[in-house]
């Protein structure tokens, strides 16, 4: 997963539910030095919470992604992030070259 263009990650999830597993898997895919290059905000909800799991991403170009963890699996989220990151990579190559 290309994380170079992500500026912030916001997530809230109940770690005991299936959407919580998707959020935990996404956080595990972030590089170890992610907190140096991006703002990471994680809120864990209590076991009895009925609030939906949420994942929000901000990119360097200002695009905001709010992903529905009830409908998307980790592979789908990775595809969305990689698609936009490749687009930003192409724009960066064209502007510098």
């Amino acid at each position: 997963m290309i994380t170079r263009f992500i500026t912030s990650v916001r997530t809230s999830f109940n770690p005991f539910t299936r959407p919580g597993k998707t959020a935990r898997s996404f956080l595990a895919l972030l590089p170890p030095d992610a907190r140096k290059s991006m703002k990471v905000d994680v809120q864990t909800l209590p076991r009895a919470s009925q609030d939906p799991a949420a994942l929000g991403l901000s990119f360097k170009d200002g695009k905001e992604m709010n992903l529905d963890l009830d409908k998307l699996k980790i592979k789908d989220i990775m595809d969305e992030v990689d698609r936009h990151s490749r687009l930003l990579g192409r724009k960066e190559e064209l502007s510098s070259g």
Side-chain angles (χ1 to χ4, degrees), residues 7-56:
T7 57
S8 77
V9 176
R10 295 165 316 283
T11 186
S12 64
F13 61 93
N14 179 345
F16 303 105
T17 61
R18 194 206 60 79
K21 181 179 179 185
T22 303
R24 288 183 288 125
S25 297
F26 180 81
L27 292 172
L29 291 172
L30 295 177
D33 63 346
R35 290 191 183 267
K36 293 179 186 174
S37 62
M38 65 183 79
K39 182 180 180 222
V40 179
D41 180 28
V42 178
Q43 178 185 11
T44 55
L45 302 171
R47 182 186 291 258
S49 175
Q50 295 299 321
D51 293 338
L55 176 64

Side-chain angles (χ1 to χ4, degrees), residues 45-65:
L45 302 171
R47 182 186 291 258
S49 175
Q50 295 299 321
D51 293 338
L55 176 64
L57 303 170
S58 298
F59 290 88
K60 286 185 179 179
D61 67 341
K63 181 175 172 93
E64 297 273 334
M65 273 189 190

